[in-house]
């Protein structure tokens, strides 16, 4: 019997501003500019409400674990005191039978010993955003005055290397101008437990850089294949996990995905903005104004109320909520239609394949062929 739908990941936007001005940021550079109306920092009253809603949902659904992902903007701008209050309050409110796992995604520029002590105290796992070496990273990840961020982020990563209980990995957005093998090696040089390569956000109306809607070229698939081959030939003990590759390998073997961008597992995440508004995955802000909104708020709605929202229901629906082309595709159990936000078109809403469909097809095919070749019996 399938598990009852529940929210198991809560993304808390503790600060709505950032100390970088990245050229591709999905919060600040797309059509949805609602961040301008949000409070800069989540108040203690809103944190109290979030803790209450998390606790009541965990109790009702008898959840063994809830993941709380602290996000921004740049979440470290909220300061140590706010993050300490947040973690303490949520853990105190949670049922004793529910483990609360805290994660945080940061650009790392404000990381210091005070934050590290906080992360150790509450068991935070911390990921850092970096796109590659200095030139590759600083093309996009810059301060508002144009200065690059690489040196500061690299220093934060070197600090995190000494904190294995805290360090969760590196998030990197793909730029086709960056050499994939060099990028993989640059990131792996910081010894992250995991690398998460992200496809730039876009859809059929607003395509990502270098991706022609309807075209059968595969620039991102080719980039990822080159990175995969470098990853795959690296001795296991010496390589980090790479989420997209590990997810494909797991799914090809009949296992779970571990990524909301692949596979048919329900996406059990919702977002709480700094003002207490309940939203869907915030990447939907790349689709259009209000696409992430639910019209719900912590003061008036529970997480179970949010589960009734059509957008959240669609992301919990697996195969049945994909478009006809995806449902008939032999790769659907692995691809899963790609990231929900990447399927959007003005004509069909989200009932489309991913705008990256050709790229995902060639990547999955390459990984499968590579694994099958290795599984062939030895010749006598």
């Amino acid at each position: 019997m399938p598990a009852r739908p529940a929210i198991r990941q809560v993304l808390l936007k503790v600060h709505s501003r950032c100390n970088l001005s990245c050229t591709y940021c999905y919060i600040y550079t797309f059509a949805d500019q609602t961040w301008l109306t949000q409070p800069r920092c989540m108040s203690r009253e809103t944190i109290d409400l979030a803790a209450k809603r998390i606790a009541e949902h965990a109790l009702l659904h008898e959840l063994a674990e809830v993941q709380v992902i602290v996000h921004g903007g740049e979440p470290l701008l909220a300061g140590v005191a706010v993050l300490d209050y947040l973690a303490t309050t949520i853990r105190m409110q949670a049922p004793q039978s529910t483990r609360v796992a805290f994660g945080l995604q940061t650009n790392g520029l404000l990381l210091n010993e005070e934050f590290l002590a906080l992360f150790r105290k509450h068991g935070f796992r911390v990921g850092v955003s970096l796109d590659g070496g200095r030139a590759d990273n600083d093309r996009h990840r810059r301060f508002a005055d144009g200065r690059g961020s690489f040196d500061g982020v690299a220093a934060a990563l070197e600090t995190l290397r000494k904190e294995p209980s805290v360090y969760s990995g590196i998030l990197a957005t793909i730029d086709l101008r960056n050499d994939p093998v060099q990028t993989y090696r640059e990131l792996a040089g910081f010894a992250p437990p995991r690398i998460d390569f992200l496809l730039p956000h876009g859809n059929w109306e607003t395509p990502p850089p270098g991706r022609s809607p309807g075209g059968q070229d595969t620039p991102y698939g080719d980039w990822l294949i080159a990175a995969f081959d470098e990853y795959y030939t690296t001795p296991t003990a010496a390589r980090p996990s790479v989420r997209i590759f590990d997810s494909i390998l797991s799914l090809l073997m009949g296992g779970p995905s571990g990524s909301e961008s692949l596979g048919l597992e329900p996406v059990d995440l919702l977002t709480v903005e700094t003002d207490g508004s309940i939203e869907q995955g915030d990447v939907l802000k790349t689709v259009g104004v209000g696409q992430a909104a639910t019209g719900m708020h912590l003061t008036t709605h529970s997480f179970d109320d949010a589960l009734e929202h059509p957008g959240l229901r669609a992301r919990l629906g697996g195969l049945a909520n994909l478009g006809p082309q995806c449902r008939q595709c032999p790769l659907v159990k692995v691809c899963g239609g790609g990231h929900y936000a990447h399927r959007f078109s003005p004509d069909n809403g989200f009932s489309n394949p991913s705008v990256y469909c050709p790229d995902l097809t060639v990547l999955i095919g390459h990984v499968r062929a590579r694994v099958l070749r290795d599984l062939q019996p030895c010749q006598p």
Side-chain angles (χ1 to χ4, degrees):
M1 183 174 178
R4 181 183 175 192
I7 298 299
R8 291 175 170 83
Q9 301 179 77
V10 182
L11 191 150
L12 296 181
K13 295 276 196 171
V14 296
H15 206 283
S16 63
R17 307 305 197 260
C18 191
N19 51 349
L20 285 181
S21 184
C22 301
T23 62
Y24 53 61
C25 182
Y26 67 84
I27 297 172
Y28 306 116
T29 65
F30 281 78
D32 191 317
Q33 293 289 296
T34 50
W35 65 272
L36 288 166
T37 64
Q38 288 291 336
R40 287 180 175 270
C41 189
M42 184 174 280
S43 69
R44 294 195 175 205
E45 291 76 16
T46 300
I47 291 171
D48 291 343
L49 282 169
K52 173 187 172 184
R53 294 302 188 188
I54 291 169
E56 69 181 11
H57 194 74
L59 185 64
L60 180 63
H61 291 266
E62 300 179 332
L63 300 182
E65 179 177 289
V66 173
Q67 293 184 328
V68 176
I69 305 155
V70 179
H71 213 275
E74 169 48 50
L76 298 192
L77 286 171
V80 170
V82 169
L83 298 184
D84 186 43
Y85 182 82
L86 179 146
T88 300
T89 304
I90 291 174
R91 185 159 280 140
M92 285 179 62
Q93 293 269 4
Q96 290 187 349
S97 57
T98 301
R99 176 179 180 267
V100 181
F102 290 105
L104 183 142
Q105 186 66 34
T106 176
N107 59 39
L109 296 171
L110 298 176
L111 187 68
N112 58 25
E113 181 53 42
E114 198 176 2
F115 278 116
L116 285 172
L118 171 78
F119 299 149
R120 288 190 292 263
K121 173 183 175 182
H122 292 291
F124 273 82
R125 299 283 289 166
V126 177
V128 174
S129 300
L130 181 78
D131 289 346
R134 177 177 284 101
D136 294 343
N137 179 79
D138 290 351
R139 184 180 300 119
H140 297 290
R141 299 190 61 80
R142 303 191 296 260
F143 291 93
D145 62 7
R147 288 177 297 125
S149 63
F150 178 83
D151 288 337
V153 180
L157 287 168
E158 291 298 338
T159 299
L160 282 174
R161 289 180 70 166
K162 303 169 188 174
E163 300 282 347
S165 67
V166 173
Y167 189 17
S168 68
I170 296 174
L171 185 152
T173 299
I174 296 170
D175 186 325
L176 294 173
R177 291 170 288 185
N178 299 345
D179 180 84
V181 173
Q182 180 182 337
T183 300
Y184 171 80
R185 290 175 177 171
E186 291 270 9
L187 298 177
F190 290 104
R194 184 178 70 198
I195 296 171
D196 200 351
F197 285 125
L198 296 188
L199 293 165
H201 292 305
N203 52 66
W204 292 94
E205 181 180 33
T206 309
R211 174 74 266 165
S212 54
Q216 294 306 302
D217 54 327
T218 56
Y220 288 92
D222 298 342
W223 195 100
L224 284 164
I225 284 171
F228 172 80
D229 286 343
E230 178 68 14
Y231 152 88
Y232 193 68
T233 54
T234 302
T236 304
R239 74 187 186 201
S241 166
V242 177
R243 180 183 287 189
I244 188 170
F245 302 152
D246 290 348
S247 294
I248 292 172
L249 288 166
S250 176
L251 288 161
L252 285 170
M253 301 293 183
S257 169
S259 169
E260 67 171 301
S261 300
L262 293 166
L264 293 170
E265 295 170 28
V267 178
D268 50 8
L269 175 145
L270 60 72
T271 301
V272 177
E273 282 285 358
T274 54
D275 68 349
S277 298
I278 298 172
E279 296 198 339
Q280 304 175 65
D282 61 346
V283 175
L284 286 172
K285 293 179 187 293
T286 64
V287 171
V289 178
Q291 284 286 345
T294 64
M296 302 183 193
H297 193 277
L298 292 173
T299 56
T300 52
H301 294 85
S302 69
F303 289 173
D304 275 83
D305 293 331
L307 282 171
E308 296 302 316
H309 186 275
L312 282 162
R313 288 172 66 90
R315 304 193 75 188
L316 290 163
L319 182 67
N321 281 290
L322 295 178
Q325 184 176 336
C326 290
R327 291 199 300 271
Q328 297 165 15
C329 177
L331 297 179
V332 68
K333 289 184 179 180
V334 180
C335 171
H339 197 290
Y340 188 70
H342 299 169
R343 304 175 201 164
F344 177 79
S345 78
D347 295 330
N348 299 319
F350 296 95
S351 187
N352 306 286
S354 167
V355 72
Y356 287 107
C357 179
D359 301 283
L360 293 171
T361 299
V362 72
L363 173 62
I364 294 167
H366 177 84
V367 172
R368 180 170 59 183
R370 188 76 190 258
V371 172
L372 286 174
R373 188 163 67 244
D374 285 354
L375 292 177
Q376 294 298 315
C378 297
Q379 297 298 320

